[in-house]
PDB file of all heavy atoms in Angstrom:
ATOM      1  N   ARG A 502     152.407 103.653  60.367  1.00  0.00           N
ATOM      2  CA  ARG A 502     151.483 103.474  59.197  1.00  0.00           C
ATOM      3  C   ARG A 502     151.997 102.444  58.216  1.00  0.00           C
ATOM      4  O   ARG A 502     151.196 101.738  57.589  1.00  0.00           O
ATOM      5  CB  ARG A 502     151.338 104.838  58.468  1.00  0.00           C
ATOM      6  CG  ARG A 502     150.415 105.747  59.271  1.00  0.00           C
ATOM      7  CD  ARG A 502     150.054 107.040  58.537  1.00  0.00           C
ATOM      8  NE  ARG A 502     149.237 107.902  59.285  1.00  0.00           N
ATOM      9  CZ  ARG A 502     147.890 107.826  59.328  1.00  0.00           C
ATOM     10  NH1 ARG A 502     147.281 106.921  58.601  1.00  0.00           N
ATOM     11  NH2 ARG A 502     147.194 108.693  60.069  1.00  0.00           N
ATOM     12  N   GLU A 503     153.287 102.340  57.969  1.00  0.00           N
ATOM     13  CA  GLU A 503     153.787 101.413  57.015  1.00  0.00           C
ATOM     14  C   GLU A 503     154.284 100.116  57.646  1.00  0.00           C
ATOM     15  O   GLU A 503     154.747  99.182  56.947  1.00  0.00           O
ATOM     16  CB  GLU A 503     154.964 102.023  56.233  1.00  0.00           C
ATOM     17  CG  GLU A 503     154.581 103.342  55.540  1.00  0.00           C
ATOM     18  CD  GLU A 503     153.474 103.192  54.533  1.00  0.00           C
ATOM     19  OE1 GLU A 503     153.443 102.109  53.857  1.00  0.00           O
ATOM     20  OE2 GLU A 503     152.644 104.084  54.382  1.00  0.00           O
ATOM     21  N   LYS A 504     154.192 100.053  58.983  1.00  0.00           N
ATOM     22  CA  LYS A 504     154.776  98.918  59.652  1.00  0.00           C
ATOM     23  C   LYS A 504     153.718  97.922  60.228  1.00  0.00           C
ATOM     24  O   LYS A 504     154.001  96.752  60.320  1.00  0.00           O
ATOM     25  CB  LYS A 504     155.636  99.393  60.871  1.00  0.00           C
ATOM     26  CG  LYS A 504     156.753 100.317  60.525  1.00  0.00           C
ATOM     27  CD  LYS A 504     157.474 100.752  61.790  1.00  0.00           C
ATOM     28  CE  LYS A 504     158.615 101.726  61.486  1.00  0.00           C
ATOM     29  NZ  LYS A 504     159.256 102.196  62.733  1.00  0.00           N
ATOM     30  N   ILE A 505     152.564  98.436  60.562  1.00  0.00           N
ATOM     31  CA  ILE A 505     151.569  97.649  61.283  1.00  0.00           C
ATOM     32  C   ILE A 505     150.561  97.001  60.362  1.00  0.00           C
ATOM     33  O   ILE A 505     150.177  97.654  59.384  1.00  0.00           O
ATOM     34  CB  ILE A 505     150.936  98.530  62.389  1.00  0.00           C
ATOM     35  CG1 ILE A 505     150.215  97.654  63.407  1.00  0.00           C
ATOM     36  CG2 ILE A 505     149.963  99.499  61.760  1.00  0.00           C
ATOM     37  CD1 ILE A 505     149.717  98.446  64.586  1.00  0.00           C
ATOM     38  N   SER A 506     150.115  95.789  60.675  1.00  0.00           N
ATOM     39  CA  SER A 506     149.072  95.126  59.906  1.00  0.00           C
ATOM     40  C   SER A 506     147.935  94.739  60.827  1.00  0.00           C
ATOM     41  O   SER A 506     148.089  94.718  62.059  1.00  0.00           O
ATOM     42  CB  SER A 506     149.685  93.899  59.195  1.00  0.00           C
ATOM     43  OG  SER A 506     149.983  92.885  60.185  1.00  0.00           O
ATOM     44  N   GLY A 507     146.834  94.335  60.216  1.00  0.00           N
ATOM     45  CA  GLY A 507     145.721  93.821  61.007  1.00  0.00           C
ATOM     46  C   GLY A 507     146.104  92.587  61.768  1.00  0.00           C
ATOM     47  O   GLY A 507     145.669  92.400  62.914  1.00  0.00           O
ATOM     48  N   ASP A 508     146.874  91.740  61.172  1.00  0.00           N
ATOM     49  CA  ASP A 508     147.287  90.485  61.845  1.00  0.00           C
ATOM     50  C   ASP A 508     148.161  90.841  63.054  1.00  0.00           C
ATOM     51  O   ASP A 508     148.046  90.105  64.076  1.00  0.00           O
ATOM     52  CB  ASP A 508     148.100  89.601  60.894  1.00  0.00           C
ATOM     53  CG  ASP A 508     147.220  88.938  59.821  1.00  0.00           C
ATOM     54  OD1 ASP A 508     145.961  88.888  60.077  1.00  0.00           O
ATOM     55  OD2 ASP A 508     147.725  88.502  58.826  1.00  0.00           O
ATOM     56  N   ASP A 509     148.948  91.895  62.965  1.00  0.00           N
ATOM     57  CA  ASP A 509     149.782  92.280  64.166  1.00  0.00           C
ATOM     58  C   ASP A 509     148.884  92.668  65.318  1.00  0.00           C
ATOM     59  O   ASP A 509     149.116  92.259  66.481  1.00  0.00           O
ATOM     60  CB  ASP A 509     150.626  93.482  63.778  1.00  0.00           C
ATOM     61  CG  ASP A 509     151.705  93.170  62.738  1.00  0.00           C
ATOM     62  OD1 ASP A 509     152.151  92.003  62.691  1.00  0.00           O
ATOM     63  OD2 ASP A 509     152.105  94.080  61.996  1.00  0.00           O
ATOM     64  N   ILE A 510     147.869  93.424  65.020  1.00  0.00           N
ATOM     65  CA  ILE A 510     146.909  93.890  66.100  1.00  0.00           C
ATOM     66  C   ILE A 510     146.139  92.685  66.689  1.00  0.00           C
ATOM     67  O   ILE A 510     146.000  92.595  67.875  1.00  0.00           O
ATOM     68  CB  ILE A 510     145.978  94.933  65.560  1.00  0.00           C
ATOM     69  CG1 ILE A 510     146.736  96.225  65.267  1.00  0.00           C
ATOM     70  CG2 ILE A 510     144.861  95.230  66.522  1.00  0.00           C
ATOM     71  CD1 ILE A 510     145.987  97.346  64.578  1.00  0.00           C
ATOM     72  N   ILE A 511     145.686  91.788  65.797  1.00  0.00           N
ATOM     73  CA  ILE A 511     144.956  90.607  66.282  1.00  0.00           C
ATOM     74  C   ILE A 511     145.869  89.752  67.156  1.00  0.00           C
ATOM     75  O   ILE A 511     145.450  89.223  68.188  1.00  0.00           O
ATOM     76  CB  ILE A 511     144.391  89.812  65.102  1.00  0.00           C
ATOM     77  CG1 ILE A 511     143.294  90.658  64.406  1.00  0.00           C
ATOM     78  CG2 ILE A 511     143.835  88.455  65.558  1.00  0.00           C
ATOM     79  CD1 ILE A 511     142.799  90.056  63.105  1.00  0.00           C
ATOM     80  N   LYS A 512     147.125  89.561  66.738  1.00  0.00           N
ATOM     81  CA  LYS A 512     148.054  88.767  67.503  1.00  0.00           C
ATOM     82  C   LYS A 512     148.289  89.370  68.907  1.00  0.00           C
ATOM     83  O   LYS A 512     148.314  88.719  69.922  1.00  0.00           O
ATOM     84  CB  LYS A 512     149.369  88.618  66.745  1.00  0.00           C
ATOM     85  CG  LYS A 512     150.432  87.782  67.502  1.00  0.00           C
ATOM     86  CD  LYS A 512     151.711  87.681  66.669  1.00  0.00           C
ATOM     87  CE  LYS A 512     152.745  86.898  67.474  1.00  0.00           C
ATOM     88  NZ  LYS A 512     154.010  86.792  66.701  1.00  0.00           N
ATOM     89  N   TRP A 513     148.460  90.735  68.896  1.00  0.00           N
ATOM     90  CA  TRP A 513     148.663  91.408  70.171  1.00  0.00           C
ATOM     91  C   TRP A 513     147.410  91.313  71.030  1.00  0.00           C
ATOM     92  O   TRP A 513     147.544  91.122  72.239  1.00  0.00           O
ATOM     93  CB  TRP A 513     148.968  92.911  69.882  1.00  0.00           C
ATOM     94  CG  TRP A 513     149.288  93.734  71.073  1.00  0.00           C
ATOM     95  CD1 TRP A 513     150.503  93.997  71.604  1.00  0.00           C
ATOM     96  CD2 TRP A 513     148.362  94.477  71.878  1.00  0.00           C
ATOM     97  NE1 TRP A 513     150.379  94.804  72.727  1.00  0.00           N
ATOM     98  CE2 TRP A 513     149.077  95.126  72.914  1.00  0.00           C
ATOM     99  CE3 TRP A 513     146.947  94.622  71.890  1.00  0.00           C
ATOM    100  CZ2 TRP A 513     148.461  95.872  73.930  1.00  0.00           C
ATOM    101  CZ3 TRP A 513     146.387  95.401  72.852  1.00  0.00           C
ATOM    102  CH2 TRP A 513     147.112  96.024  73.886  1.00  0.00           C
ATOM    103  N   ALA A 514     146.253  91.477  70.434  1.00  0.00           N
ATOM    104  CA  ALA A 514     145.028  91.312  71.223  1.00  0.00           C
ATOM    105  C   ALA A 514     144.882  89.966  71.876  1.00  0.00           C
ATOM    106  O   ALA A 514     144.373  89.834  73.022  1.00  0.00           O
ATOM    107  CB  ALA A 514     143.818  91.632  70.311  1.00  0.00           C
ATOM    108  N   ARG A 515     145.318  88.932  71.139  1.00  0.00           N
ATOM    109  CA  ARG A 515     145.210  87.584  71.643  1.00  0.00           C
ATOM    110  C   ARG A 515     145.963  87.400  72.978  1.00  0.00           C
ATOM    111  O   ARG A 515     145.636  86.574  73.831  1.00  0.00           O
ATOM    112  CB  ARG A 515     145.737  86.604  70.585  1.00  0.00           C
ATOM    113  CG  ARG A 515     145.401  85.155  70.818  1.00  0.00           C
ATOM    114  CD  ARG A 515     145.706  84.295  69.640  1.00  0.00           C
ATOM    115  NE  ARG A 515     144.794  84.535  68.535  1.00  0.00           N
ATOM    116  CZ  ARG A 515     145.124  84.982  67.327  1.00  0.00           C
ATOM    117  NH1 ARG A 515     146.371  85.217  67.014  1.00  0.00           N
ATOM    118  NH2 ARG A 515     144.193  85.181  66.402  1.00  0.00           N
ATOM    119  N   GLU A 516     147.008  88.186  73.133  1.00  0.00           N
ATOM    120  CA  GLU A 516     147.798  88.113  74.355  1.00  0.00           C
ATOM    121  C   GLU A 516     147.315  88.986  75.455  1.00  0.00           C
ATOM    122  O   GLU A 516     147.801  88.916  76.582  1.00  0.00           O
ATOM    123  CB  GLU A 516     149.261  88.488  74.066  1.00  0.00           C
ATOM    124  CG  GLU A 516     149.934  87.563  73.056  1.00  0.00           C
ATOM    125  CD  GLU A 516     151.329  88.015  72.601  1.00  0.00           C
ATOM    126  OE1 GLU A 516     151.675  89.195  72.988  1.00  0.00           O
ATOM    127  OE2 GLU A 516     151.993  87.342  71.862  1.00  0.00           O
ATOM    128  N   ASN A 517     146.347  89.875  75.192  1.00  0.00           N
ATOM    129  CA  ASN A 517     145.963  90.856  76.135  1.00  0.00           C
ATOM    130  C   ASN A 517     144.470  90.908  76.472  1.00  0.00           C
ATOM    131  O   ASN A 517     144.043  91.717  77.268  1.00  0.00           O
ATOM    132  CB  ASN A 517     146.391  92.272  75.666  1.00  0.00           C
ATOM    133  CG  ASN A 517     147.890  92.447  75.766  1.00  0.00           C
ATOM    134  OD1 ASN A 517     148.357  92.816  76.727  1.00  0.00           O
ATOM    135  ND2 ASN A 517     148.541  92.184  74.632  1.00  0.00           N
ATOM    136  N   MET A 518     143.662  89.973  75.884  1.00  0.00           N
ATOM    137  CA  MET A 518     142.258  89.986  76.251  1.00  0.00           C
ATOM    138  C   MET A 518     141.671  88.571  75.955  1.00  0.00           C
ATOM    139  O   MET A 518     142.295  87.772  75.297  1.00  0.00           O
ATOM    140  CB  MET A 518     141.464  91.027  75.431  1.00  0.00           C
ATOM    141  CG  MET A 518     141.452  90.806  73.919  1.00  0.00           C
ATOM    142  SD  MET A 518     140.644  92.154  73.017  1.00  0.00           S
ATOM    143  CE  MET A 518     141.791  93.536  73.247  1.00  0.00           C
ATOM    144  N   ALA A 519     140.522  88.325  76.553  1.00  0.00           N
ATOM    145  CA  ALA A 519     139.853  87.022  76.379  1.00  0.00           C
ATOM    146  C   ALA A 519     139.556  86.777  74.913  1.00  0.00           C
ATOM    147  O   ALA A 519     139.305  87.713  74.149  1.00  0.00           O
ATOM    148  CB  ALA A 519     138.581  86.992  77.210  1.00  0.00           C
ATOM    149  N   ALA A 520     139.568  85.501  74.518  1.00  0.00           N
ATOM    150  CA  ALA A 520     139.461  85.135  73.147  1.00  0.00           C
ATOM    151  C   ALA A 520     138.164  85.701  72.442  1.00  0.00           C
ATOM    152  O   ALA A 520     138.270  86.110  71.305  1.00  0.00           O
ATOM    153  CB  ALA A 520     139.494  83.618  72.971  1.00  0.00           C
ATOM    154  N   TYR A 521     137.056  85.728  73.128  1.00  0.00           N
ATOM    155  CA  TYR A 521     135.816  86.158  72.502  1.00  0.00           C
ATOM    156  C   TYR A 521     135.749  87.655  72.259  1.00  0.00           C
ATOM    157  O   TYR A 521     134.954  88.135  71.498  1.00  0.00           O
ATOM    158  CB  TYR A 521     134.601  85.686  73.306  1.00  0.00           C
ATOM    159  CG  TYR A 521     134.434  86.316  74.670  1.00  0.00           C
ATOM    160  CD1 TYR A 521     133.720  87.524  74.840  1.00  0.00           C
ATOM    161  CD2 TYR A 521     135.030  85.791  75.774  1.00  0.00           C
ATOM    162  CE1 TYR A 521     133.574  88.089  76.055  1.00  0.00           C
ATOM    163  CE2 TYR A 521     134.895  86.330  77.025  1.00  0.00           C
ATOM    164  CZ  TYR A 521     134.156  87.530  77.151  1.00  0.00           C
ATOM    165  OH  TYR A 521     134.031  88.116  78.413  1.00  0.00           O
ATOM    166  N   LYS A 522     136.691  88.417  72.869  1.00  0.00           N
ATOM    167  CA  LYS A 522     136.730  89.870  72.682  1.00  0.00           C
ATOM    168  C   LYS A 522     137.623  90.309  71.509  1.00  0.00           C
ATOM    169  O   LYS A 522     137.566  91.452  71.052  1.00  0.00           O
ATOM    170  CB  LYS A 522     137.230  90.536  73.941  1.00  0.00           C
ATOM    171  CG  LYS A 522     136.421  90.273  75.217  1.00  0.00           C
ATOM    172  CD  LYS A 522     137.096  90.928  76.392  1.00  0.00           C
ATOM    173  CE  LYS A 522     136.440  90.573  77.699  1.00  0.00           C
ATOM    174  NZ  LYS A 522     137.178  91.076  78.863  1.00  0.00           N
ATOM    175  N   ILE A 523     138.485  89.365  71.071  1.00  0.00           N
ATOM    176  CA  ILE A 523     139.479  89.709  70.054  1.00  0.00           C
ATOM    177  C   ILE A 523     138.878  90.101  68.749  1.00  0.00           C
ATOM    178  O   ILE A 523     137.935  89.404  68.244  1.00  0.00           O
ATOM    179  CB  ILE A 523     140.441  88.540  69.827  1.00  0.00           C
ATOM    180  CG1 ILE A 523     141.167  88.189  71.144  1.00  0.00           C
ATOM    181  CG2 ILE A 523     141.415  88.804  68.709  1.00  0.00           C
ATOM    182  CD1 ILE A 523     141.883  86.793  71.070  1.00  0.00           C
ATOM    183  N   PRO A 524     139.261  91.243  68.153  1.00  0.00           N
ATOM    184  CA  PRO A 524     138.748  91.620  66.796  1.00  0.00           C
ATOM    185  C   PRO A 524     139.041  90.552  65.793  1.00  0.00           C
ATOM    186  O   PRO A 524     140.147  90.026  65.810  1.00  0.00           O
ATOM    187  CB  PRO A 524     139.488  92.912  66.507  1.00  0.00           C
ATOM    188  CG  PRO A 524     139.938  93.452  67.843  1.00  0.00           C
ATOM    189  CD  PRO A 524     140.199  92.304  68.717  1.00  0.00           C
ATOM    190  N   ARG A 525     138.054  90.178  65.051  1.00  0.00           N
ATOM    191  CA  ARG A 525     138.264  89.163  64.011  1.00  0.00           C
ATOM    192  C   ARG A 525     138.723  89.816  62.681  1.00  0.00           C
ATOM    193  O   ARG A 525     139.230  89.104  61.760  1.00  0.00           O
ATOM    194  CB  ARG A 525     136.988  88.352  63.751  1.00  0.00           C
ATOM    195  CG  ARG A 525     136.553  87.507  65.011  1.00  0.00           C
ATOM    196  CD  ARG A 525     137.724  86.595  65.435  1.00  0.00           C
ATOM    197  NE  ARG A 525     137.297  85.607  66.449  1.00  0.00           N
ATOM    198  CZ  ARG A 525     137.482  85.767  67.745  1.00  0.00           C
ATOM    199  NH1 ARG A 525     138.068  86.826  68.202  1.00  0.00           N
ATOM    200  NH2 ARG A 525     137.122  84.853  68.628  1.00  0.00           N
ATOM    201  N   SER A 526     138.578  91.086  62.541  1.00  0.00           N
ATOM    202  CA  SER A 526     139.056  91.826  61.426  1.00  0.00           C
ATOM    203  C   SER A 526     139.443  93.227  61.842  1.00  0.00           C
ATOM    204  O   SER A 526     138.950  93.745  62.822  1.00  0.00           O
ATOM    205  CB  SER A 526     138.011  91.876  60.279  1.00  0.00           C
ATOM    206  OG  SER A 526     136.867  92.566  60.706  1.00  0.00           O
ATOM    207  N   VAL A 527     140.351  93.844  61.078  1.00  0.00           N
ATOM    208  CA  VAL A 527     140.848  95.185  61.383  1.00  0.00           C
ATOM    209  C   VAL A 527     140.831  96.006  60.083  1.00  0.00           C
ATOM    210  O   VAL A 527     141.296  95.538  59.055  1.00  0.00           O
ATOM    211  CB  VAL A 527     142.298  95.169  61.980  1.00  0.00           C
ATOM    212  CG1 VAL A 527     142.784  96.557  62.211  1.00  0.00           C
ATOM    213  CG2 VAL A 527     142.320  94.330  63.228  1.00  0.00           C
ATOM    214  N   GLU A 528     140.309  97.167  60.179  1.00  0.00           N
ATOM    215  CA  GLU A 528     140.296  98.121  59.006  1.00  0.00           C
ATOM    216  C   GLU A 528     141.040  99.383  59.409  1.00  0.00           C
ATOM    217  O   GLU A 528     140.808  99.955  60.501  1.00  0.00           O
ATOM    218  CB  GLU A 528     138.868  98.428  58.623  1.00  0.00           C
ATOM    219  CG  GLU A 528     138.743  99.452  57.469  1.00  0.00           C
ATOM    220  CD  GLU A 528     137.350  99.774  57.114  1.00  0.00           C
ATOM    221  OE1 GLU A 528     136.419  98.976  57.485  1.00  0.00           O
ATOM    222  OE2 GLU A 528     137.107 100.877  56.524  1.00  0.00           O
ATOM    223  N   PHE A 529     141.919  99.844  58.570  1.00  0.00           N
ATOM    224  CA  PHE A 529     142.684 101.030  58.826  1.00  0.00           C
ATOM    225  C   PHE A 529     142.091 102.228  58.069  1.00  0.00           C
ATOM    226  O   PHE A 529     141.739 102.097  56.930  1.00  0.00           O
ATOM    227  CB  PHE A 529     144.139 100.868  58.389  1.00  0.00           C
ATOM    228  CG  PHE A 529     144.918  99.876  59.256  1.00  0.00           C
ATOM    229  CD1 PHE A 529     145.086  98.576  58.814  1.00  0.00           C
ATOM    230  CD2 PHE A 529     145.430 100.275  60.535  1.00  0.00           C
ATOM    231  CE1 PHE A 529     145.770  97.647  59.584  1.00  0.00           C
ATOM    232  CE2 PHE A 529     146.155  99.364  61.255  1.00  0.00           C
ATOM    233  CZ  PHE A 529     146.291  98.066  60.813  1.00  0.00           C
ATOM    234  N   ILE A 530     141.952 103.333  58.754  1.00  0.00           N
ATOM    235  CA  ILE A 530     141.441 104.562  58.148  1.00  0.00           C
ATOM    236  C   ILE A 530     142.269 105.748  58.568  1.00  0.00           C
ATOM    237  O   ILE A 530     143.011 105.647  59.576  1.00  0.00           O
ATOM    238  CB  ILE A 530     139.942 104.820  58.416  1.00  0.00           C
ATOM    239  CG1 ILE A 530     139.701 104.985  59.888  1.00  0.00           C
ATOM    240  CG2 ILE A 530     139.085 103.683  57.817  1.00  0.00           C
ATOM    241  CD1 ILE A 530     138.236 105.339  60.198  1.00  0.00           C
ATOM    242  N   ASP A 531     142.171 106.888  57.879  1.00  0.00           N
ATOM    243  CA  ASP A 531     142.969 108.028  58.211  1.00  0.00           C
ATOM    244  C   ASP A 531     142.434 108.816  59.464  1.00  0.00           C
ATOM    245  O   ASP A 531     143.229 109.372  60.179  1.00  0.00           O
ATOM    246  CB  ASP A 531     143.056 109.006  57.023  1.00  0.00           C
ATOM    247  CG  ASP A 531     143.836 108.407  55.884  1.00  0.00           C
ATOM    248  OD1 ASP A 531     144.735 107.591  56.142  1.00  0.00           O
ATOM    249  OD2 ASP A 531     143.523 108.740  54.714  1.00  0.00           O
ATOM    250  N   ALA A 532     141.125 108.801  59.618  1.00  0.00           N
ATOM    251  CA  ALA A 532     140.574 109.520  60.761  1.00  0.00           C
ATOM    252  C   ALA A 532     139.144 108.945  61.041  1.00  0.00           C
ATOM    253  O   ALA A 532     138.440 108.542  60.160  1.00  0.00           O
ATOM    254  CB  ALA A 532     140.482 110.987  60.454  1.00  0.00           C
TER     255      ALA A 532
END
Side-chain angles (χ1 to χ4, degrees):
R502 285 186 182 275
E503 304 301 324
K504 302 177 183 178
I505 196 170
S506 69
D508 288 343
D509 293 332
I510 290 174
I511 293 171
K512 180 180 178 181
W513 184 91
R515 192 170 289 121
E516 298 173 354
N517 287 275
M518 64 183 72
Y521 67 91
K522 302 175 188 175
I523 297 169
R525 295 306 189 260
S526 62
V527 178
E528 178 183 337
F529 293 97
I530 60 176
D531 293 331

